[in-house]
């Protein structure tokens, strides 16, 4: 059988890796320019760390890891007979692959709280895993690039994250991205004024799907979750919310007069919007989107989602928000946090579609020593060592050519890899050096060779 890889995973060619590294380095440079420090966490966590943090839908998408050894031997026969997967999982799996970088980060902060200087600004670039249905831009293994601040409730952090998104996407050439923003307090306030406060999660999860399943689909889902027709009628204006950010804030303020929490959310959004208006953005735009809900359970304030430039059909390429009580689930109270994530794989696909990648320069030797005479190999390897000590990338073609055909193969290797300098012969400590760009050929000492190729 021909070997294959699991659905939702990918191999990456050298060119693809180079393009991805370009995105990584751009994001990393911006993170550090904004004062964020790097950390890393394990690929897998204890199941108790992850489960129950992402809502019912998220929990289903967490990859569980089977316990090592004979994991069924300690399971009660009654559980095996019942074939109840939920009961069985807790007995045979104690660890799981991380679903995102935010919850592991919260665990990290609690575990290392005595070693951290607050407010703590961290960035993290690592893969995550989700047992999702693979489709365009959605994979089961993918990288997240996160930046978070914990230990500060200042709304200037939210303003800075809008600027950070704008900075990164501008540097990548992704002009015209839209940074959508909402506030969980506004959603809570809306649920309160329509009499569906106890259905907040169901309400927000359904509302978040408006762009995917439309108004009719959202209404149907809300009804199925026990939200009344009367309540849905009150929220009807949200389905066609329009106007400038200032107009939207004014409308929300009127709608939420019966909710202190909702009004506070409006005030927070107004501060962010006014600040960005004064500061300006390079290529992105900020848009208040009251249907933006993001079903994750831990957001308590601002919610972000970034969409690709118009004309590109792609899901969100970034998202995040404030989570005032996330570390509280691990025993550390009153530590506010806010963070954003960049969807590397979707950003890559968008840049490919828009032809934003310049010609990628793959790693290659500056000098290649051809191998036509085995008696010269040792002298060539000695020379290569000196070149490398002078930070000149160089290598010896490994196989000795014993025929004209094999010599042509080595020259083809030079052409295919775009190598600039070639050493053809070595004799009496002199080297025959050919410049493949201008075809100039010279005989020189090792010191002269170093000078010519540097």
């Amino acid at each position: 059988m021909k070997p294959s890889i699991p659905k939702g995973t990918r191999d990456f060619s050298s060119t693809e890796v180079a393009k991805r590294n370009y995105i990584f380095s751009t994001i990393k440079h911006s993170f550090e320019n904004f004062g964020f420090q790097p950390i890393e966490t394990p690929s897998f966590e204890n199941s108790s760390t992850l489960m129950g943090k992402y809502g019912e839908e998220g929990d289903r998408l967490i990859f569980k890891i089977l316990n090592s050894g004979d994991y069924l031997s300690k399971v009660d026969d009654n559980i095996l007979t019942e074939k109840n997967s939920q009961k069985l999982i807790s007995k045979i799996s104690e660890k799981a692959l991380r679903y995102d970088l935010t919850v592991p980060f919260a665990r990290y902060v609690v575990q290392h709280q005595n070693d951290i200087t607050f407010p703590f600004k961290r960035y993290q670039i690592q893969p995550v895993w989700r047992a999702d249905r693979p489709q365009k831009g959605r994979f089961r293994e993918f990288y997240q690039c996160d930046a978070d601040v914990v230990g500060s409730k200042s709304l200037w952090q939210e303003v800075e994250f809008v600027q950070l998104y704008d900075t990164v996407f501008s540097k990548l050439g992704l002009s015209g991205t839209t940074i959508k923003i909402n506030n969980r307090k506004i959603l809570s306030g809306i649920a309160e004024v329509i009499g569906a406060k106890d259905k907040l999660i169901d309400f927000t999860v359904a509302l978040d799907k408006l762009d995917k399943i439309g108004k009719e689909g959202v209404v149907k889902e809300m009804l199925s979750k026990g939200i009344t027709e009367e309540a849905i009628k009150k929220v009807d204006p949200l389905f066609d919310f329009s106007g400038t950010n200032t107009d939207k804030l004014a409308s929300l303020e009127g709608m939420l007069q019966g909710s202190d929490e909702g009004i506070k959310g409006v005030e927070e959004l107004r501060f962010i919007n006014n600040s960005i208006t004064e500061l300006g953005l390079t290529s992105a735009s900020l848009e208040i989107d009251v249907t933006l809900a993001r079903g994750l359970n831990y957001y308590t304030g601002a919610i972000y989602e970034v969409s690709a430039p118009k004309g590109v059909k792609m899901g969100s390429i970034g998202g995040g928000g404030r989570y005032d009580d996330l570390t509280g689930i691990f025993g550390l109270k009153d530590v506010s946090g806010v963070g954003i994530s960049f969807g590397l794989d979707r950003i890559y696909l968008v840049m490919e579609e828009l032809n934003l990648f310049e010609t990628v320069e793959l790693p290659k030797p500056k000098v290649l020593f051809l191998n036509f005479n085995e008696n010269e190999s040792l002298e060539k390897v000695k020379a290569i060592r000196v070149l490398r000590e002078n930070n000149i990338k160089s290598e010896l073609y490994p196989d000795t050519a014993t025929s004209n055909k094999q010599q042509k193969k080595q020259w083809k290797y030079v052409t295919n890899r775009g190598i600039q300098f070639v050493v053809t012969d070595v004799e009496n400590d002199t080297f025959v050096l050919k410049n493949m760009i201008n075809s100039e050929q010279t005989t020189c000492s090792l010191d002269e060779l170093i000078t010519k190729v540097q």
Side-chain angles (χ1 to χ4, degrees):
M1 285 182 61
K2 187 177 180 181
S4 62
I5 59 176
K7 288 183 179 179
T9 64
R10 295 150 296 161
D11 289 322
F12 298 104
S13 68
S14 299
T15 300
E16 289 168 330
V17 169
K19 290 178 179 178
R20 285 163 63 86
N21 284 343
Y22 165 68
I23 300 174
F24 281 137
S25 63
T26 301
I27 294 173
K28 180 181 176 182
H29 178 268
S30 296
F31 282 166
E32 294 184 352
N33 203 30
F34 275 66
F36 292 86
Q37 304 173 44
I39 69 163
E40 291 189 359
T41 60
S43 299
F44 56 93
E45 298 270 353
N46 292 323
S47 296
S48 58
T49 298
L50 304 179
M51 299 299 290
K53 311 303 188 301
Y54 306 101
E56 188 178 333
E57 286 191 42
D59 281 354
R60 286 202 303 269
L61 301 181
I62 292 174
F63 275 109
K64 285 80 176 177
I65 300 173
L66 288 174
N67 295 339
S68 57
D70 187 3
Y71 50 83
L72 285 178
S73 62
K74 297 178 183 178
V75 179
D76 188 280
D77 288 343
N78 292 329
I79 295 177
L80 291 174
T81 304
E82 280 181 46
K83 295 184 178 179
N84 186 318
S85 60
Q86 293 303 315
K87 286 184 180 179
L88 184 60
I89 284 173
S90 64
K91 303 294 182 182
I92 65 176
S93 174
E94 297 171 352
K95 300 175 184 65
L97 292 176
R98 61 171 172 245
Y99 176 90
D100 73 352
L101 299 178
T102 306
V103 170
F105 172 54
R107 189 266 311 151
Y108 176 94
V109 170
V110 175
Q111 195 170 339
H112 300 277
Q113 58 187 284
N114 295 326
D115 306 316
I116 291 173
T117 300
F118 292 99
F120 180 46
K121 300 177 72 171
R122 89 79 167 87
Y123 76 83
Q124 197 170 347
I125 301 175
Q126 288 186 279
V128 299
W129 295 266
R130 297 182 184 179
D132 215 342
R133 183 172 65 86
Q135 53 187 292
K136 183 183 178 182
R138 190 182 295 274
F139 306 99
R140 288 176 173 170
E141 178 186 61
F142 57 97
Y143 266 82
Q144 282 190 341
C145 308
D146 282 15
D148 290 77
V149 182
V150 291
S152 171
K153 293 183 179 181
S154 170
L155 290 174
W156 285 113
Q157 306 294 354
E158 276 84 340
V159 172
E160 185 171 72
F161 279 125
V162 174
Q163 293 179 302
L164 179 55
Y165 267 139
D166 178 52
T167 297
V168 169
F169 290 126
S170 297
K171 285 185 176 181
L172 291 174
L174 277 171
S175 299
T177 56
T178 302
I179 304 167
K180 298 179 181 180
I181 189 169
N182 197 9
N183 193 296
R184 193 69 174 222
K185 294 182 181 73
I186 289 175
L187 295 169
S188 298
I190 293 170
E192 182 182 347
V193 298
I194 68 172
K197 193 171 183 180
D198 60 329
K199 300 283 186 181
L200 174 62
I201 297 299
D202 293 330
F203 170 74
T204 55
V205 168
L207 190 63
D208 196 38
K209 297 176 181 176
L210 182 63
D211 61 336
K212 300 183 184 74
I213 61 178
K215 177 181 176 180
E216 189 176 329
V218 171
V219 170
K220 185 178 179 180
E221 182 167 331
M222 285 183 176
L223 288 170
S224 71
K225 296 294 185 179
I227 299 173
T228 66
E229 288 187 23
E230 184 182 354
I232 295 171
K233 190 174 181 180
K234 290 180 181 177
V235 85
D236 188 71
L238 293 181
F239 297 128
D240 299 299
F241 226 47
S242 59
T244 65
N245 287 342
T246 303
D247 294 336
K248 291 175 182 177
L249 289 168
S251 298
L252 284 169
E253 198 165 33
M255 184 187 297
L256 293 168
Q257 282 306 310
S259 170
D260 291 342
E261 185 178 12
I263 292 298
K264 187 177 180 183
V266 172
E267 291 171 353
E268 290 180 3
L269 274 192
R270 182 172 282 128
F271 177 86
I272 298 166
N273 181 62
N274 290 348
S275 299
I276 291 299
T277 300
E278 287 291 324
L279 292 165
L281 296 175
T282 302
S283 68
S285 60
L286 182 67
E287 177 187 319
I288 292 174
D289 183 352
V290 291
T291 67
L292 177 58
R294 297 182 69 87
L296 300 178
N297 283 358
Y298 49 70
Y299 291 133
T300 56
I303 309 168
Y304 300 100
E305 191 164 280
V306 184
S307 58
K310 290 179 181 178
V312 180
K313 291 184 178 180
M314 182 64 66
S316 64
I317 56 175
R322 180 168 285 278
Y323 41 89
D324 282 340
D325 56 0
L326 187 63
T327 56
I329 58 180
F330 297 120
L332 184 60
K333 303 292 184 182
D334 301 320
V335 179
S336 184
V338 57
I340 60 171
S341 181
F342 291 83
L344 171 94
D345 298 283
R346 290 185 176 184
I347 292 170
Y348 181 100
L349 292 173
V350 172
M351 291 183 67
E352 281 275 76
E353 186 171 333
L354 296 176
N355 295 314
L356 294 177
F357 287 112
E358 297 179 3
T359 303
V360 175
E361 185 75 16
L362 295 177
K364 62 183 179 183
K366 187 78 175 287
V367 184
L368 179 74
F369 287 71
L370 297 180
N371 193 351
F372 294 165
N373 185 343
E374 191 170 350
N375 294 329
E376 298 175 355
S377 296
L378 182 59
E379 290 304 311
K380 289 178 179 178
V381 171
K382 287 180 178 178
I384 287 170
R385 185 179 67 180
V386 176
L387 289 173
R388 289 172 178 170
E389 287 171 353
N390 283 271
N391 295 315
I392 298 170
K393 297 176 183 177
S394 51
E395 66 180 58
L396 171 72
Y397 192 91
D399 302 307
T400 305
T402 57
S403 66
N404 188 48
K405 182 179 179 181
Q406 289 178 354
Q407 288 188 9
K408 288 181 178 179
K409 184 179 178 181
Q410 293 190 26
W411 284 111
K412 186 177 180 181
Y413 179 84
V414 172
T415 302
N416 288 347
R417 293 199 64 188
I419 299 169
Q420 184 177 356
F421 292 100
V422 174
V423 174
T424 56
D425 295 296
V426 178
E427 187 176 349
N428 297 327
D429 295 326
T430 60
F431 302 83
V432 178
L433 178 69
K434 182 172 183 179
N435 186 327
M436 299 301 294
I437 294 177
N438 56 20
S439 297
E440 180 183 288
Q441 184 165 299
T442 56
T443 300
C444 55
S445 67
L446 183 57
D447 288 340
E448 290 171 334
L449 190 154
I450 290 171
T451 300
K452 286 180 179 291
V453 304
Q454 274 181 328

